[in-house]
Amino acid sequence: MTGQAYETGAAFAARMDAEDPLAGFRTRFFFPKTVSGEECIYLCGHSLGLQPKTAKAYIDQELQDWAQLGVEGHFRARDPWLPYHRLLTERTAALVGAKPQEVVVMNSLTVNLHLMMVSFYRPTPQRHRIVVERGAFPSDQYAVKSQIRVHGYDPASALIELTARPGEFCIRYEDITALIDREGKSIALIMLGGVNYATGQAFDMRTITERGHARGCVVGFDLAHAAGNLLLELHEWGPDFAVWCNYKYLNGGPGCVGGCFVHERHARAWDLPRHGGWWGHEEKLRFEMGPDFQPMAGAEGWQLSNPPILALAPLRASLEIFQEAGMERLRAKSVSLTGYLEFLLEKVASPKFSVITPAEPERRGAQISIRIPDKGRAFCDQLADLGVIGDWREPDTLRVAPVPLYNSYQDVYGFVQRFSAALFSG
Ligand SMILES: Cc1ncc(COP(=O)(O)O)c(C=O)c1O
């Protein structure tokens, strides 16, 4: 559905790689190896991105500065630790289409989601419902339900789950807007994923935001599967907040610190309730150690603790690579690469499997979810034995993501060969 002309043979993949201006970025990452020592076909960047080869040097620098300077590293490290998190701000802002003051790298996704809901989920008896996707990532569901309970409401009535129609897997766009229009007056918060983790469906965040705001709802997004994957224009689209993790497409390493966006219009919303912590306290006064919390303007005003420098260092390495590659070029390659994957899967065509991710490029990112009802997790293990790393989501879905930063057309070709071999074996 990309309109691009693809061909089935291996020569096409080789030619596409030879012509790919981003092909060189592949060598900047470590690829896991098979037992026989070959590079795996790694299609799991939607879960954990690969390690940039520069990550170690960035961590080593901080370990050395810590060894040599101790506490003085806060001021005298080559990159002083006190303002270290700001080394990530501009690049993060560029990635999600925000102003620097609107973003901060802190905590992890679920923690940030809670912090955002403390401020932006302000239920009243007339308007206390939250909209999520049915089948949203479990952590989001737990977080949202627990917030509803904290405020004394019952998730059974306060949670609205957007659901695909019977026999369908993705949520129809008109069903989202119809729900917002119909129930808007009772909705306090619309909290959707930018890309659904299971189906790979991308949502039209601009229109959802406009529609939600027009009905008086607060709008927030979980961008775990969208950041570093889709072109985002958060400032322009205007959601109230967004949260994401930096370990998937953004390659910051396992459990890496997450990202948070608070729209500029809330930068000085001092009346918003929020959890306080000394790192969100007005910077100029922080070390006066006063008893009263006075938040900083902008997203940094939601910080709680001083940041983990050793965890930020590899993210810094990755964001530098992203800046060099450029999101627009990455997205253009991604549309082509994912389209190629879909094209090859269509050639395999069998009743044994179906692609449940939307076909239109604007309704998906890099991930393709393949439903294989007769296979279980063992199918994924079988692929792993063939040197392919994807992942399995119960009950019946294989997720694979050709990541434009380090995957090649030949990866995609090799994957489909192995997928087909595994599917028709036994
Ligand atoms: C969509 C989504 N939301 C939330 C999370 C939870 O992230 P964290 O463990 O960083 O809180 C994940 C993790 O994979 C996710 O995919």
Side-chain angles (χ1 to χ4, degrees), residues 326-362:
M327 258 327 283
E328 300 220 340
R329 287 201 301 166
L330 286 168
R331 176 63 181 152
K333 176 176 169 186
S334 179
V335 169
S336 164
L337 201 58
T338 304
Y340 177 53
L341 169 57
E342 185 185 40
F343 165 82
L344 290 181
L345 286 171
E346 277 167 8
K347 298 291 165 203
V348 177
S350 154
K352 286 174 182 275
F353 77 92
S354 58
V355 170
I356 60 171
T357 307
E360 304 90 330
E362 62 281 5

PDB file of all heavy atoms in Angstrom, residues 326-362:
ATOM      1  N   GLY A 326      18.499  11.672  11.158  1.00  0.00           N
ATOM      2  CA  GLY A 326      17.354  12.554  10.893  1.00  0.00           C
ATOM      3  C   GLY A 326      16.049  11.770  10.814  1.00  0.00           C
ATOM      4  O   GLY A 326      15.939  10.812  10.050  1.00  0.00           O
ATOM      5  N   MET A 327      15.062  12.205  11.592  1.00  0.00           N
ATOM      6  CA  MET A 327      13.785  11.467  11.659  1.00  0.00           C
ATOM      7  C   MET A 327      13.068  11.412  10.309  1.00  0.00           C
ATOM      8  O   MET A 327      12.423  10.430   9.988  1.00  0.00           O
ATOM      9  CB  MET A 327      12.856  12.089  12.706  1.00  0.00           C
ATOM     10  CG  MET A 327      12.741  11.403  14.038  1.00  0.00           C
ATOM     11  SD  MET A 327      12.872   9.618  14.116  1.00  0.00           S
ATOM     12  CE  MET A 327      11.288   9.042  13.550  1.00  0.00           C
ATOM     13  N   GLU A 328      13.183  12.473   9.510  1.00  0.00           N
ATOM     14  CA  GLU A 328      12.443  12.461   8.237  1.00  0.00           C
ATOM     15  C   GLU A 328      12.990  11.388   7.316  1.00  0.00           C
ATOM     16  O   GLU A 328      12.238  10.657   6.676  1.00  0.00           O
ATOM     17  CB  GLU A 328      12.528  13.832   7.571  1.00  0.00           C
ATOM     18  CG  GLU A 328      11.927  14.888   8.466  1.00  0.00           C
ATOM     19  CD  GLU A 328      11.111  15.910   7.723  1.00  0.00           C
ATOM     20  OE1 GLU A 328      11.298  16.033   6.518  1.00  0.00           O
ATOM     21  OE2 GLU A 328      10.297  16.571   8.384  1.00  0.00           O
ATOM     22  N   ARG A 329      14.317  11.298   7.269  1.00  0.00           N
ATOM     23  CA  ARG A 329      14.916  10.264   6.404  1.00  0.00           C
ATOM     24  C   ARG A 329      14.596   8.878   6.956  1.00  0.00           C
ATOM     25  O   ARG A 329      14.323   7.939   6.211  1.00  0.00           O
ATOM     26  CB  ARG A 329      16.439  10.446   6.348  1.00  0.00           C
ATOM     27  CG  ARG A 329      16.865  11.644   5.532  1.00  0.00           C
ATOM     28  CD  ARG A 329      18.295  11.532   5.064  1.00  0.00           C
ATOM     29  NE  ARG A 329      19.260  11.392   6.162  1.00  0.00           N
ATOM     30  CZ  ARG A 329      20.516  11.007   5.978  1.00  0.00           C
ATOM     31  NH1 ARG A 329      20.962  10.699   4.772  1.00  0.00           N
ATOM     32  NH2 ARG A 329      21.353  10.927   6.999  1.00  0.00           N
ATOM     33  N   LEU A 330      14.637   8.756   8.283  1.00  0.00           N
ATOM     34  CA  LEU A 330      14.342   7.454   8.890  1.00  0.00           C
ATOM     35  C   LEU A 330      12.911   7.022   8.594  1.00  0.00           C
ATOM     36  O   LEU A 330      12.647   5.870   8.263  1.00  0.00           O
ATOM     37  CB  LEU A 330      14.572   7.509  10.411  1.00  0.00           C
ATOM     38  CG  LEU A 330      16.035   7.535  10.839  1.00  0.00           C
ATOM     39  CD1 LEU A 330      16.150   7.891  12.313  1.00  0.00           C
ATOM     40  CD2 LEU A 330      16.697   6.185  10.570  1.00  0.00           C
ATOM     41  N   ARG A 331      12.006   7.969   8.716  1.00  0.00           N
ATOM     42  CA  ARG A 331      10.597   7.624   8.479  1.00  0.00           C
ATOM     43  C   ARG A 331      10.378   7.248   7.014  1.00  0.00           C
ATOM     44  O   ARG A 331       9.648   6.306   6.708  1.00  0.00           O
ATOM     45  CB  ARG A 331       9.710   8.797   8.905  1.00  0.00           C
ATOM     46  CG  ARG A 331       8.243   8.633   8.625  1.00  0.00           C
ATOM     47  CD  ARG A 331       7.598   7.481   9.383  1.00  0.00           C
ATOM     48  NE  ARG A 331       6.184   7.385   9.032  1.00  0.00           N
ATOM     49  CZ  ARG A 331       5.467   6.274   9.065  1.00  0.00           C
ATOM     50  NH1 ARG A 331       5.998   5.143   9.476  1.00  0.00           N
ATOM     51  NH2 ARG A 331       4.201   6.281   8.732  1.00  0.00           N
ATOM     52  N   ALA A 332      11.035   7.960   6.117  1.00  0.00           N
ATOM     53  CA  ALA A 332      10.875   7.635   4.688  1.00  0.00           C
ATOM     54  C   ALA A 332      11.371   6.214   4.427  1.00  0.00           C
ATOM     55  O   ALA A 332      10.713   5.416   3.748  1.00  0.00           O
ATOM     56  CB  ALA A 332      11.632   8.639   3.830  1.00  0.00           C
ATOM     57  N   LYS A 333      12.517   5.870   5.013  1.00  0.00           N
ATOM     58  CA  LYS A 333      13.019   4.500   4.814  1.00  0.00           C
ATOM     59  C   LYS A 333      12.081   3.495   5.481  1.00  0.00           C
ATOM     60  O   LYS A 333      11.812   2.417   4.948  1.00  0.00           O
ATOM     61  CB  LYS A 333      14.439   4.366   5.382  1.00  0.00           C
ATOM     62  CG  LYS A 333      14.972   2.936   5.281  1.00  0.00           C
ATOM     63  CD  LYS A 333      16.409   2.786   5.743  1.00  0.00           C
ATOM     64  CE  LYS A 333      16.785   1.313   5.874  1.00  0.00           C
ATOM     65  NZ  LYS A 333      18.124   1.105   6.459  1.00  0.00           N
ATOM     66  N   SER A 334      11.576   3.865   6.647  1.00  0.00           N
ATOM     67  CA  SER A 334      10.703   2.956   7.390  1.00  0.00           C
ATOM     68  C   SER A 334       9.456   2.601   6.581  1.00  0.00           C
ATOM     69  O   SER A 334       9.042   1.438   6.518  1.00  0.00           O
ATOM     70  CB  SER A 334      10.319   3.606   8.723  1.00  0.00           C
ATOM     71  OG  SER A 334       9.461   2.780   9.447  1.00  0.00           O
ATOM     72  N   VAL A 335       8.855   3.612   5.961  1.00  0.00           N
ATOM     73  CA  VAL A 335       7.648   3.362   5.153  1.00  0.00           C
ATOM     74  C   VAL A 335       7.981   2.371   4.039  1.00  0.00           C
ATOM     75  O   VAL A 335       7.242   1.410   3.785  1.00  0.00           O
ATOM     76  CB  VAL A 335       7.094   4.689   4.583  1.00  0.00           C
ATOM     77  CG1 VAL A 335       6.014   4.435   3.539  1.00  0.00           C
ATOM     78  CG2 VAL A 335       6.539   5.556   5.715  1.00  0.00           C
ATOM     79  N   SER A 336       9.127   2.570   3.424  1.00  0.00           N
ATOM     80  CA  SER A 336       9.527   1.697   2.317  1.00  0.00           C
ATOM     81  C   SER A 336       9.850   0.284   2.818  1.00  0.00           C
ATOM     82  O   SER A 336       9.424  -0.714   2.229  1.00  0.00           O
ATOM     83  CB  SER A 336      10.736   2.335   1.625  1.00  0.00           C
ATOM     84  OG  SER A 336      11.381   1.406   0.810  1.00  0.00           O
ATOM     85  N   LEU A 337      10.579   0.212   3.920  1.00  0.00           N
ATOM     86  CA  LEU A 337      11.031  -1.089   4.440  1.00  0.00           C
ATOM     87  C   LEU A 337       9.855  -1.921   4.961  1.00  0.00           C
ATOM     88  O   LEU A 337       9.756  -3.129   4.710  1.00  0.00           O
ATOM     89  CB  LEU A 337      12.028  -0.813   5.571  1.00  0.00           C
ATOM     90  CG  LEU A 337      13.003  -1.877   5.994  1.00  0.00           C
ATOM     91  CD1 LEU A 337      13.879  -2.329   4.840  1.00  0.00           C
ATOM     92  CD2 LEU A 337      13.895  -1.333   7.130  1.00  0.00           C
ATOM     93  N   THR A 338       8.952  -1.266   5.671  1.00  0.00           N
ATOM     94  CA  THR A 338       7.787  -1.980   6.201  1.00  0.00           C
ATOM     95  C   THR A 338       6.861  -2.389   5.058  1.00  0.00           C
ATOM     96  O   THR A 338       6.288  -3.484   5.066  1.00  0.00           O
ATOM     97  CB  THR A 338       7.055  -1.108   7.244  1.00  0.00           C
ATOM     98  OG1 THR A 338       8.005  -0.747   8.243  1.00  0.00           O
ATOM     99  CG2 THR A 338       5.914  -1.848   7.908  1.00  0.00           C
ATOM    100  N   GLY A 339       6.772  -1.518   4.056  1.00  0.00           N
ATOM    101  CA  GLY A 339       5.974  -1.861   2.871  1.00  0.00           C
ATOM    102  C   GLY A 339       6.553  -3.080   2.166  1.00  0.00           C
ATOM    103  O   GLY A 339       5.818  -3.947   1.678  1.00  0.00           O
ATOM    104  N   TYR A 340       7.866  -3.153   2.145  1.00  0.00           N
ATOM    105  CA  TYR A 340       8.541  -4.299   1.510  1.00  0.00           C
ATOM    106  C   TYR A 340       8.235  -5.585   2.285  1.00  0.00           C
ATOM    107  O   TYR A 340       7.926  -6.625   1.701  1.00  0.00           O
ATOM    108  CB  TYR A 340      10.042  -4.002   1.471  1.00  0.00           C
ATOM    109  CG  TYR A 340      10.906  -5.102   0.921  1.00  0.00           C
ATOM    110  CD1 TYR A 340      10.643  -5.671  -0.328  1.00  0.00           C
ATOM    111  CD2 TYR A 340      12.012  -5.566   1.636  1.00  0.00           C
ATOM    112  CE1 TYR A 340      11.464  -6.683  -0.838  1.00  0.00           C
ATOM    113  CE2 TYR A 340      12.832  -6.565   1.142  1.00  0.00           C
ATOM    114  CZ  TYR A 340      12.552  -7.128  -0.095  1.00  0.00           C
ATOM    115  OH  TYR A 340      13.355  -8.119  -0.586  1.00  0.00           O
ATOM    116  N   LEU A 341       8.279  -5.489   3.588  1.00  0.00           N
ATOM    117  CA  LEU A 341       7.952  -6.658   4.426  1.00  0.00           C
ATOM    118  C   LEU A 341       6.528  -7.130   4.136  1.00  0.00           C
ATOM    119  O   LEU A 341       6.268  -8.329   3.947  1.00  0.00           O
ATOM    120  CB  LEU A 341       8.121  -6.281   5.910  1.00  0.00           C
ATOM    121  CG  LEU A 341       7.599  -7.261   6.942  1.00  0.00           C
ATOM    122  CD1 LEU A 341       8.226  -8.637   6.781  1.00  0.00           C
ATOM    123  CD2 LEU A 341       7.882  -6.743   8.364  1.00  0.00           C
ATOM    124  N   GLU A 342       5.616  -6.175   4.092  1.00  0.00           N
ATOM    125  CA  GLU A 342       4.223  -6.530   3.831  1.00  0.00           C
ATOM    126  C   GLU A 342       4.073  -7.174   2.445  1.00  0.00           C
ATOM    127  O   GLU A 342       3.377  -8.180   2.279  1.00  0.00           O
ATOM    128  CB  GLU A 342       3.376  -5.261   3.911  1.00  0.00           C
ATOM    129  CG  GLU A 342       1.900  -5.485   3.784  1.00  0.00           C
ATOM    130  CD  GLU A 342       1.159  -4.162   3.763  1.00  0.00           C
ATOM    131  OE1 GLU A 342       1.642  -3.206   3.121  1.00  0.00           O
ATOM    132  OE2 GLU A 342       0.099  -4.095   4.383  1.00  0.00           O
ATOM    133  N   PHE A 343       4.779  -6.585   1.466  1.00  0.00           N
ATOM    134  CA  PHE A 343       4.735  -7.110   0.089  1.00  0.00           C
ATOM    135  C   PHE A 343       5.202  -8.573   0.056  1.00  0.00           C
ATOM    136  O   PHE A 343       4.540  -9.437  -0.529  1.00  0.00           O
ATOM    137  CB  PHE A 343       5.624  -6.213  -0.784  1.00  0.00           C
ATOM    138  CG  PHE A 343       5.972  -6.790  -2.127  1.00  0.00           C
ATOM    139  CD1 PHE A 343       5.075  -6.703  -3.192  1.00  0.00           C
ATOM    140  CD2 PHE A 343       7.203  -7.416  -2.338  1.00  0.00           C
ATOM    141  CE1 PHE A 343       5.399  -7.236  -4.443  1.00  0.00           C
ATOM    142  CE2 PHE A 343       7.529  -7.950  -3.581  1.00  0.00           C
ATOM    143  CZ  PHE A 343       6.627  -7.867  -4.632  1.00  0.00           C
ATOM    144  N   LEU A 344       6.332  -8.848   0.720  1.00  0.00           N
ATOM    145  CA  LEU A 344       6.853 -10.221   0.684  1.00  0.00           C
ATOM    146  C   LEU A 344       5.922 -11.183   1.423  1.00  0.00           C
ATOM    147  O   LEU A 344       5.724 -12.317   0.991  1.00  0.00           O
ATOM    148  CB  LEU A 344       8.255 -10.273   1.285  1.00  0.00           C
ATOM    149  CG  LEU A 344       9.380  -9.608   0.474  1.00  0.00           C
ATOM    150  CD1 LEU A 344      10.718  -9.759   1.185  1.00  0.00           C
ATOM    151  CD2 LEU A 344       9.478 -10.189  -0.939  1.00  0.00           C
ATOM    152  N   LEU A 345       5.333 -10.705   2.520  1.00  0.00           N
ATOM    153  CA  LEU A 345       4.403 -11.578   3.258  1.00  0.00           C
ATOM    154  C   LEU A 345       3.168 -11.883   2.402  1.00  0.00           C
ATOM    155  O   LEU A 345       2.637 -12.996   2.438  1.00  0.00           O
ATOM    156  CB  LEU A 345       3.984 -10.921   4.580  1.00  0.00           C
ATOM    157  CG  LEU A 345       5.056 -10.923   5.681  1.00  0.00           C
ATOM    158  CD1 LEU A 345       4.611 -10.061   6.863  1.00  0.00           C
ATOM    159  CD2 LEU A 345       5.377 -12.337   6.157  1.00  0.00           C
ATOM    160  N   GLU A 346       2.743 -10.879   1.634  1.00  0.00           N
ATOM    161  CA  GLU A 346       1.587 -11.128   0.754  1.00  0.00           C
ATOM    162  C   GLU A 346       1.903 -12.209  -0.273  1.00  0.00           C
ATOM    163  O   GLU A 346       1.024 -12.962  -0.682  1.00  0.00           O
ATOM    164  CB  GLU A 346       1.188  -9.836   0.024  1.00  0.00           C
ATOM    165  CG  GLU A 346       0.298  -8.950   0.873  1.00  0.00           C
ATOM    166  CD  GLU A 346       0.177  -7.538   0.282  1.00  0.00           C
ATOM    167  OE1 GLU A 346       0.646  -7.299  -0.841  1.00  0.00           O
ATOM    168  OE2 GLU A 346      -0.385  -6.689   1.003  1.00  0.00           O
ATOM    169  N   LYS A 347       3.160 -12.285  -0.677  1.00  0.00           N
ATOM    170  CA  LYS A 347       3.540 -13.308  -1.659  1.00  0.00           C
ATOM    171  C   LYS A 347       3.517 -14.699  -1.021  1.00  0.00           C
ATOM    172  O   LYS A 347       3.255 -15.691  -1.681  1.00  0.00           O
ATOM    173  CB  LYS A 347       4.958 -13.044  -2.218  1.00  0.00           C
ATOM    174  CG  LYS A 347       5.067 -11.739  -2.939  1.00  0.00           C
ATOM    175  CD  LYS A 347       4.282 -11.745  -4.249  1.00  0.00           C
ATOM    176  CE  LYS A 347       4.085 -10.350  -4.779  1.00  0.00           C
ATOM    177  NZ  LYS A 347       2.990 -10.155  -5.675  1.00  0.00           N
ATOM    178  N   VAL A 348       3.798 -14.755   0.274  1.00  0.00           N
ATOM    179  CA  VAL A 348       3.753 -16.056   0.972  1.00  0.00           C
ATOM    180  C   VAL A 348       2.299 -16.501   1.136  1.00  0.00           C
ATOM    181  O   VAL A 348       2.010 -17.705   1.188  1.00  0.00           O
ATOM    182  CB  VAL A 348       4.433 -15.965   2.370  1.00  0.00           C
ATOM    183  CG1 VAL A 348       4.339 -17.279   3.137  1.00  0.00           C
ATOM    184  CG2 VAL A 348       5.877 -15.513   2.251  1.00  0.00           C
ATOM    185  N   ALA A 349       1.416 -15.527   1.193  1.00  0.00           N
ATOM    186  CA  ALA A 349      -0.020 -15.706   1.446  1.00  0.00           C
ATOM    187  C   ALA A 349      -0.468 -17.134   1.762  1.00  0.00           C
ATOM    188  O   ALA A 349      -0.302 -18.037   0.957  1.00  0.00           O
ATOM    189  CB  ALA A 349      -0.814 -15.174   0.259  1.00  0.00           C
ATOM    190  N   SER A 350      -1.031 -17.290   2.947  1.00  0.00           N
ATOM    191  CA  SER A 350      -1.508 -18.603   3.369  1.00  0.00           C
ATOM    192  C   SER A 350      -2.594 -18.376   4.416  1.00  0.00           C
ATOM    193  O   SER A 350      -2.525 -17.415   5.190  1.00  0.00           O
ATOM    194  CB  SER A 350      -0.334 -19.365   3.991  1.00  0.00           C
ATOM    195  OG  SER A 350      -0.801 -20.321   4.911  1.00  0.00           O
ATOM    196  N   PRO A 351      -3.599 -19.265   4.467  1.00  0.00           N
ATOM    197  CA  PRO A 351      -4.608 -19.123   5.528  1.00  0.00           C
ATOM    198  C   PRO A 351      -4.029 -19.334   6.923  1.00  0.00           C
ATOM    199  O   PRO A 351      -4.677 -19.063   7.924  1.00  0.00           O
ATOM    200  CB  PRO A 351      -5.637 -20.205   5.184  1.00  0.00           C
ATOM    201  CG  PRO A 351      -5.007 -21.084   4.168  1.00  0.00           C
ATOM    202  CD  PRO A 351      -3.873 -20.351   3.541  1.00  0.00           C
ATOM    203  N   LYS A 352      -2.761 -19.763   6.971  1.00  0.00           N
ATOM    204  CA  LYS A 352      -2.141 -20.008   8.280  1.00  0.00           C
ATOM    205  C   LYS A 352      -1.853 -18.714   9.036  1.00  0.00           C
ATOM    206  O   LYS A 352      -1.625 -18.724  10.231  1.00  0.00           O
ATOM    207  CB  LYS A 352      -0.809 -20.752   8.105  1.00  0.00           C
ATOM    208  CG  LYS A 352      -0.917 -22.225   7.748  1.00  0.00           C
ATOM    209  CD  LYS A 352       0.486 -22.748   7.478  1.00  0.00           C
ATOM    210  CE  LYS A 352       0.507 -24.200   7.055  1.00  0.00           C
ATOM    211  NZ  LYS A 352       0.502 -25.152   8.153  1.00  0.00           N
ATOM    212  N   PHE A 353      -1.784 -17.574   8.324  1.00  0.00           N
ATOM    213  CA  PHE A 353      -1.456 -16.330   9.029  1.00  0.00           C
ATOM    214  C   PHE A 353      -2.142 -15.137   8.377  1.00  0.00           C
ATOM    215  O   PHE A 353      -2.562 -15.208   7.214  1.00  0.00           O
ATOM    216  CB  PHE A 353       0.068 -16.106   9.052  1.00  0.00           C
ATOM    217  CG  PHE A 353       0.648 -15.614   7.762  1.00  0.00           C
ATOM    218  CD1 PHE A 353       0.801 -14.257   7.518  1.00  0.00           C
ATOM    219  CD2 PHE A 353       1.040 -16.504   6.770  1.00  0.00           C
ATOM    220  CE1 PHE A 353       1.334 -13.800   6.314  1.00  0.00           C
ATOM    221  CE2 PHE A 353       1.576 -16.054   5.571  1.00  0.00           C
ATOM    222  CZ  PHE A 353       1.723 -14.688   5.340  1.00  0.00           C
ATOM    223  N   SER A 354      -2.244 -14.051   9.146  1.00  0.00           N
ATOM    224  CA  SER A 354      -2.732 -12.792   8.570  1.00  0.00           C
ATOM    225  C   SER A 354      -2.024 -11.625   9.252  1.00  0.00           C
ATOM    226  O   SER A 354      -1.679 -11.702  10.435  1.00  0.00           O
ATOM    227  CB  SER A 354      -4.250 -12.663   8.741  1.00  0.00           C
ATOM    228  OG  SER A 354      -4.570 -12.742  10.117  1.00  0.00           O
ATOM    229  N   VAL A 355      -1.798 -10.586   8.486  1.00  0.00           N
ATOM    230  CA  VAL A 355      -1.202  -9.364   9.046  1.00  0.00           C
ATOM    231  C   VAL A 355      -2.340  -8.537   9.625  1.00  0.00           C
ATOM    232  O   VAL A 355      -3.310  -8.239   8.926  1.00  0.00           O
ATOM    233  CB  VAL A 355      -0.459  -8.575   7.939  1.00  0.00           C
ATOM    234  CG1 VAL A 355      -0.056  -7.199   8.437  1.00  0.00           C
ATOM    235  CG2 VAL A 355       0.771  -9.363   7.473  1.00  0.00           C
ATOM    236  N   ILE A 356      -2.245  -8.188  10.901  1.00  0.00           N
ATOM    237  CA  ILE A 356      -3.349  -7.422  11.510  1.00  0.00           C
ATOM    238  C   ILE A 356      -3.035  -5.924  11.602  1.00  0.00           C
ATOM    239  O   ILE A 356      -3.893  -5.122  11.943  1.00  0.00           O
ATOM    240  CB  ILE A 356      -3.749  -7.981  12.901  1.00  0.00           C
ATOM    241  CG1 ILE A 356      -2.574  -7.925  13.878  1.00  0.00           C
ATOM    242  CG2 ILE A 356      -4.312  -9.383  12.760  1.00  0.00           C
ATOM    243  CD1 ILE A 356      -2.986  -8.267  15.315  1.00  0.00           C
ATOM    244  N   THR A 357      -1.812  -5.557  11.302  1.00  0.00           N
ATOM    245  CA  THR A 357      -1.435  -4.132  11.311  1.00  0.00           C
ATOM    246  C   THR A 357      -2.068  -3.449  10.096  1.00  0.00           C
ATOM    247  O   THR A 357      -2.100  -4.047   9.023  1.00  0.00           O
ATOM    248  CB  THR A 357       0.102  -4.023  11.242  1.00  0.00           C
ATOM    249  OG1 THR A 357       0.645  -4.826  12.286  1.00  0.00           O
ATOM    250  CG2 THR A 357       0.584  -2.597  11.402  1.00  0.00           C
ATOM    251  N   PRO A 358      -2.548  -2.219  10.249  1.00  0.00           N
ATOM    252  CA  PRO A 358      -3.146  -1.543   9.090  1.00  0.00           C
ATOM    253  C   PRO A 358      -2.171  -1.457   7.913  1.00  0.00           C
ATOM    254  O   PRO A 358      -0.955  -1.364   8.108  1.00  0.00           O
ATOM    255  CB  PRO A 358      -3.474  -0.140   9.618  1.00  0.00           C
ATOM    256  CG  PRO A 358      -3.575  -0.290  11.088  1.00  0.00           C
ATOM    257  CD  PRO A 358      -2.618  -1.388  11.465  1.00  0.00           C
ATOM    258  N   ALA A 359      -2.736  -1.450   6.723  1.00  0.00           N
ATOM    259  CA  ALA A 359      -1.901  -1.442   5.519  1.00  0.00           C
ATOM    260  C   ALA A 359      -1.442  -0.030   5.146  1.00  0.00           C
ATOM    261  O   ALA A 359      -0.396   0.135   4.519  1.00  0.00           O
ATOM    262  CB  ALA A 359      -2.688  -2.045   4.357  1.00  0.00           C
ATOM    263  N   GLU A 360      -2.203   0.983   5.538  1.00  0.00           N
ATOM    264  CA  GLU A 360      -1.841   2.342   5.131  1.00  0.00           C
ATOM    265  C   GLU A 360      -0.637   2.826   5.942  1.00  0.00           C
ATOM    266  O   GLU A 360      -0.666   2.760   7.171  1.00  0.00           O
ATOM    267  CB  GLU A 360      -2.997   3.321   5.369  1.00  0.00           C
ATOM    268  CG  GLU A 360      -4.297   2.943   4.691  1.00  0.00           C
ATOM    269  CD  GLU A 360      -5.172   2.060   5.570  1.00  0.00           C
ATOM    270  OE1 GLU A 360      -4.617   1.290   6.400  1.00  0.00           O
ATOM    271  OE2 GLU A 360      -6.390   2.113   5.435  1.00  0.00           O
ATOM    272  N   PRO A 361       0.395   3.354   5.276  1.00  0.00           N
ATOM    273  CA  PRO A 361       1.586   3.808   5.999  1.00  0.00           C
ATOM    274  C   PRO A 361       1.269   4.809   7.113  1.00  0.00           C
ATOM    275  O   PRO A 361       1.907   4.796   8.162  1.00  0.00           O
ATOM    276  CB  PRO A 361       2.445   4.454   4.912  1.00  0.00           C
ATOM    277  CG  PRO A 361       1.989   3.837   3.642  1.00  0.00           C
ATOM    278  CD  PRO A 361       0.546   3.486   3.815  1.00  0.00           C
ATOM    279  N   GLU A 362       0.271   5.672   6.897  1.00  0.00           N
ATOM    280  CA  GLU A 362      -0.011   6.681   7.936  1.00  0.00           C
ATOM    281  C   GLU A 362      -0.727   6.065   9.143  1.00  0.00           C
ATOM    282  O   GLU A 362      -0.905   6.720  10.167  1.00  0.00           O
ATOM    283  CB  GLU A 362      -0.793   7.872   7.378  1.00  0.00           C
ATOM    284  CG  GLU A 362      -2.162   7.588   6.806  1.00  0.00           C
ATOM    285  CD  GLU A 362      -2.131   6.998   5.387  1.00  0.00           C
ATOM    286  OE1 GLU A 362      -1.034   6.708   4.855  1.00  0.00           O
ATOM    287  OE2 GLU A 362      -3.221   6.808   4.819  1.00  0.00           O
TER     288      GLU A 362
END
